[in-house]
Amino acid sequence: MEKLTPSATVATPEPQVVPAPLAEHLPTLLWDVDPDTIDPQAMARTIVQRVIQRGSKEDWAAMLEYYGRPRVQEVVETVPYMSDAAIAAVCQFFHIEKETLRCYQRKQSIPQTFNS
């Protein structure tokens, strides 16, 4: 029977570090989440959505550096809600049609009432 030594124990994974510019603004972008418990991988969808809706250019840059362009685009295409301005921004940035976005498809399926 092999005896376990401290060097033979399983190492615990290091906590993920959120990029500095993004981490500085997380309290304002994620006002409803305890900043000490943020797991950037598990909360990728929420973080990406909030950065797109309310983040600065520096936040966008940090988000893209951390998650990578393909992952951010994947999240963007599945987000259930974005403002019209955010939809236009992501379509221009990622060179995609708004019809590929779930949030745009959802908006089209909701009946509009007449404004008087």
Side-chain angles (χ1 to χ4, degrees):
M1 180 170 211
E2 184 179 327
K3 186 176 179 181
L4 290 177
T5 62
S7 62
T9 60
V10 177
T12 57
E14 291 292 319
Q16 297 288 328
V17 178
V18 181
L22 192 55
E24 292 171 7
H25 296 281
L26 282 181
T28 55
L29 292 172
L30 298 172
W31 60 90
D32 54 345
V33 179
D34 179 10
D36 298 328
T37 62
I38 293 175
D39 178 357
Q41 291 302 319
M43 295 187 66
R45 183 174 171 170
T46 302
I47 292 171
V48 168
Q49 185 174 9
R50 298 277 176 92
V51 168
I52 287 171
Q53 286 289 127
R54 297 179 175 88
S56 65
K57 288 181 182 181
E58 292 81 16
D59 295 334
W60 271 69
M63 170 188 67
L64 288 165
E65 181 181 335
Y66 183 77
Y67 292 113
R69 189 179 175 114
R71 173 75 173 125
V72 172
Q73 184 174 344
E74 174 188 318
V75 171
V76 162
E77 290 175 350
T78 63
V79 168
Y81 175 80
M82 276 193 280
S83 67
D84 291 337
I87 290 172
V90 298
C91 287
Q92 182 179 8
F93 184 83
F94 291 107
H95 305 289
I96 56 177
E97 297 294 323
K98 61 185 175 187
E99 291 79 15
T100 64
L101 302 175
R102 179 178 175 214
C103 61
Y104 181 79
Q105 295 168 359
R106 187 171 174 261
K107 278 185 179 187
Q108 298 305 303
S109 68
I110 298 172
Q112 300 295 317
T113 57
F114 294 105
N115 294 330
S116 49

